[in-house]
Amino acid sequence: MGSMKVHQFTRGLIWEHEPFLTLGCKRLRPLAPKLPNTKTITTPFDLKSFIRPESGPRKPVSSDDTKKDPPSPQGQIETHPGGTRWNPTQEQIGILEMLYKGGMRTPNAQQIEQITVQLGKYGKIEGKNVFYWFQNHKARERQKQKRSSLASSHSPRTPTIHSVVTLETTRGEVVERDHEEDSPYKKKCRRWVFDCLEEQNMSSPCEQEEHRTLELFPLHPEGR
Amino acid sequence: MGSMKVHQFTRGLIWEHEPFLTLGCKRLRPLAPKLPNTKTITTPFDLKSFIRPESGPRKPVSSDDTKKDPPSPQGQIETHPGGTRWNPTQEQIGILEMLYKGGMRTPNAQQIEQITVQLGKYGKIEGKNVFYWFQNHKARERQKQKRSSLASSHSPRTPTIHSVVTLETTRGEVVERDHEEDSPYKKKCRRWVFDCLEEQNMSSPCEQEEHRTLELFPLHPEGR
DNA sequence: GCAAATTAATGATTTATTCAAG
DNA sequence: CTTGAATAAATCATTAATTTGC
């Protein structure tokens, strides 16, 4: 089934003729027909360029059969090349924890960049690693705290003041949320961009080309 | 339906003491205790380099930066270069929906890049917009479907077959999840990097200086 | 008719869960 | 088991439509 994806897609291309397709595909946006510039663009939007016939030796052909990922033995525990995950060094962890202790929770893009540069002195690292580290650390500290408080409720000794606030969701449920010095939902201050190339041109594109074929239409990845 | 949501919070805050329970408080919106953040870690690690006293006008390399949003006199609705959010054009929406219909759900970095380039022909857009669009669209389609299925349960006419799969979480709860052609939790195939500069050098920093100064340690952001 | 006040949509973020490498 | 990585859910925040009072 995976193989028909492209086919199916091209089918959608009939769209090239319609001024806009609107009708055909219900966009149902009840309220707002943002009709302004109807005339312009009749542009077909050359999706053909998307297909990129050469986009790689995909495996979609043999489709789902053996997902098995394979070879790519590349025994380098080394950071990056192919697809190993970030393996923080002691210094990096130390610094990150220090920052966390200092109160940092959700660094914005600029902060992340700076941190990444600094930590880069101790080992390979990318911005996303820093981002994820804070996300995970925060979440796990929270869990841990919750667990411990739960445990303490069993043996009511040390009260363990851990401030949490309950809040009602729109659905009426009541959830509990740790109160942090850092408030969630700040202003928009982070910005990310997709850096797809970095991985692509990552040195030898050979060994790990197996790395999840970048299909254009992963209709039935059968993952998970 | 009464969506007075905006008001009615602000209350509670009794935290500080009770381990938790605190039932009565509804939906508080902490709104910034505004504690005097005297923390300022005495940094061991040369955080000094982080501060970057001149963290003002960036535009680091000006390298590719093909973005040039500026004037773009196209006499258009041209999104405000400042900090407004992406406002998709009809063509962009049309294409995105077409792709969605074609089965695309969580495009990887490369796909996002290509889509962004194509959609860029119809108006300013960034990769993250594409990413978010898919995330939101997928989630909202799911909601919609769930709602409708729920509604149909009341009036059992049209059965509305909507395949959902139930799965048990680690905690033992059973959740329902829409079954999509695209499976969640695929392999790692996306990659992002924080592009903090772009926003920084965003033209005149005057009118909305209120825009959250990028502090390094948002201990008590008072935001939200 | 028109502009302020409402409301519905939906873009952008953050938190919660889950997966899986080591 | 620990934890980096990634996705889904919840929710905040801004804008386009719609409604309302003149």
Side-chain angles (χ1 to χ4, degrees):
Chain A
M1 28 174 83
S3 59
M4 27 167 93
K5 32 188 77 133
V6 176
H7 171 31
Q8 191 164 358
F9 170 60
T10 39
R11 232 212 332 206
L13 273 249
I14 49 169
W15 179 73
E16 297 195 87
H17 312 299
E18 307 306 333
F20 269 13
L21 65 121
T22 47
L23 278 277
C25 44
K26 66 210 339 346
R27 171 25 181 166
L28 51 78
R29 196 232 270 245
L31 312 179
K34 156 191 302 196
L35 54 142
N37 54 10
T38 50
K39 60 342 184 236
T40 56
I41 343 63
T42 40
T43 96
F45 169 60
D46 60 335
L47 289 167
K48 296 160 286 188
S49 66
F50 268 36
I51 307 300
R52 294 242 277 194
E54 47 58 42
S55 163
R58 282 8 162 340
K59 64 174 57 175
V61 190
S62 60
S63 65
D64 55 83
D65 64 343
T66 72
K67 183 1 170 327
K68 100 319 192 60
D69 95 38
S72 87
Q74 56 197 180
Q76 60 240 231
I77 309 79
E78 286 310 51
T79 58
H80 82 87
T84 45
R85 63 186 196 180
W86 171 53
N87 197 6
T89 66
Q90 276 298 49
E91 299 88 11
Q92 294 178 323
I93 291 294
I95 294 171
L96 288 170
E97 288 190 328
M98 180 182 68
L99 291 171
Y100 187 88
K101 277 196 163 85
M104 184 176 276
R105 291 292 180 280
T106 305
N108 62 40
Q110 185 172 37
Q111 298 170 331
I112 286 178
E113 184 198 43
Q114 295 181 66
I115 295 170
T116 302
V117 171
Q118 293 298 324
L119 297 187
K121 296 176 178 174
Y122 307 102
K124 172 138 211 234
I125 186 173
E126 290 177 79
K128 59 174 248 181
N129 302 133
V130 174
F131 171 72
Y132 284 138
W133 188 88
F134 276 98
Q135 290 275 101
N136 285 317
H137 199 67
K138 177 169 50 172
R140 280 158 183 156
E141 281 296 309
R142 197 179 281 144
Q143 286 187 339
K144 197 180 300 179
Q145 200 169 342
K146 182 158 293 184
R147 253 203 305 281
S148 70
S149 71
L150 215 56
S152 69
S153 68
H154 282 289
S155 60
R157 292 136 146 290
T158 53
T160 307
I161 316 164
H162 78 302
S163 62
V164 301
V165 300
T166 61
L167 41 132
E168 201 173 315
T169 66
T170 52
R171 294 212 308 287
E173 311 172 276
V174 174
V175 299
E176 215 169 70
R177 177 168 290 178
D178 292 333
H179 174 268
E180 298 175 12
E181 305 83 326
D182 191 29
S183 68
Y185 293 101
K186 284 200 290 274
K187 280 302 188 51
K188 72 58 140 334
C189 50
R190 186 176 308 110
R191 199 130 226 184
W192 36 28
V193 71
F194 298 82
D195 167 26
C196 53
L197 298 335
E198 181 162 49
E199 168 127 51
Q200 296 302 309
N201 57 33
M202 203 54 112
S203 62
S204 56
C206 44
E207 60 259 76
Q208 83 252 38
E209 39 87 309
E210 174 49 279
H211 219 204
R212 172 138 220 79
T213 62
L214 299 163
E215 311 170 32
L216 209 32
F217 296 91
L219 291 186
H220 310 81
E222 48 74 28
R224 199 191 190 90
Chain B
M1 343 217 129
S3 50
M4 273 326 307
K5 49 186 75 142
V6 183
H7 309 297
Q8 92 182 68
F9 326 143
T10 66
R11 114 194 256 56
L13 267 304
I14 36 182
W15 52 280
E16 298 254 319
H17 308 305
E18 311 311 328
F20 44 102
L21 49 129
T22 68
L23 17 174
C25 67
K26 44 176 51 179
R27 179 92 173 159
L28 55 78
R29 200 226 266 254
L31 55 96
K34 192 70 138 202
L35 302 182
N37 63 358
T38 54
K39 298 295 268 308
T40 61
I41 342 86
T42 53
T43 151
F45 174 57
D46 66 330
L47 291 168
K48 296 161 290 190
S49 64
F50 270 35
I51 308 300
R52 295 239 274 192
E54 44 58 50
S55 71
R58 242 355 138 323
K59 174 84 82 238
V61 189
S62 81
S63 56
D64 50 53
D65 193 275
T66 58
K67 249 26 192 330
K68 110 308 191 51
D69 38 59
S72 129
Q74 332 263 35
Q76 288 281 2
I77 311 80
E78 198 49 73
T79 64
H80 313 257
T84 46
R85 65 185 196 182
W86 169 55
N87 197 4
T89 66
Q90 275 295 51
E91 302 84 21
Q92 294 177 324
I93 291 294
I95 293 170
L96 287 170
E97 287 192 330
M98 180 182 68
L99 292 171
Y100 187 88
K101 277 197 158 117
M104 185 176 276
R105 291 291 180 282
T106 306
N108 62 39
Q110 185 173 39
Q111 298 171 330
I112 287 178
E113 186 200 41
Q114 295 182 66
I115 294 170
T116 302
V117 171
Q118 293 298 324
L119 297 187
K121 296 176 179 175
Y122 308 103
K124 181 162 195 198
I125 186 173
E126 290 177 80
K128 58 174 247 180
N129 302 132
V130 174
F131 171 72
Y132 286 139
W133 188 89
F134 276 98
Q135 289 273 104
N136 284 318
H137 198 68
K138 177 168 48 171
R140 281 159 181 156
E141 280 297 309
R142 197 179 283 143
Q143 290 188 335
K144 198 180 301 179
Q145 199 169 341
K146 182 158 293 185
R147 255 203 306 279
S148 70
S149 70
L150 212 58
S152 69
S153 67
H154 282 287
S155 60
R157 291 141 144 292
T158 53
T160 307
I161 316 164
H162 76 301
S163 63
V164 300
V165 299
T166 61
L167 36 131
E168 203 171 316
T169 66
T170 55
R171 295 211 307 287
E173 311 172 277
V174 174
V175 299
E176 212 170 72
R177 177 168 289 176
D178 292 334
H179 174 269
E180 297 175 12
E181 305 83 327
D182 193 26
S183 67
Y185 293 100
K186 283 201 293 274
K187 281 303 188 52
K188 101 261 241 32
C189 52
R190 187 175 307 110
R191 201 129 224 186
W192 38 26
V193 71
F194 299 83
D195 168 23
C196 52
L197 300 332
E198 182 161 50
E199 168 129 51
Q200 296 303 305
N201 58 37
M202 210 51 120
S203 63
S204 57
C206 46
E207 57 258 90
Q208 81 270 45
E209 82 297 35
E210 174 49 280
H211 224 200
R212 179 129 221 88
T213 60
L214 299 164
E215 313 168 31
L216 204 34
F217 294 92
L219 292 185
H220 307 84
E222 53 75 20
R224 197 191 187 93

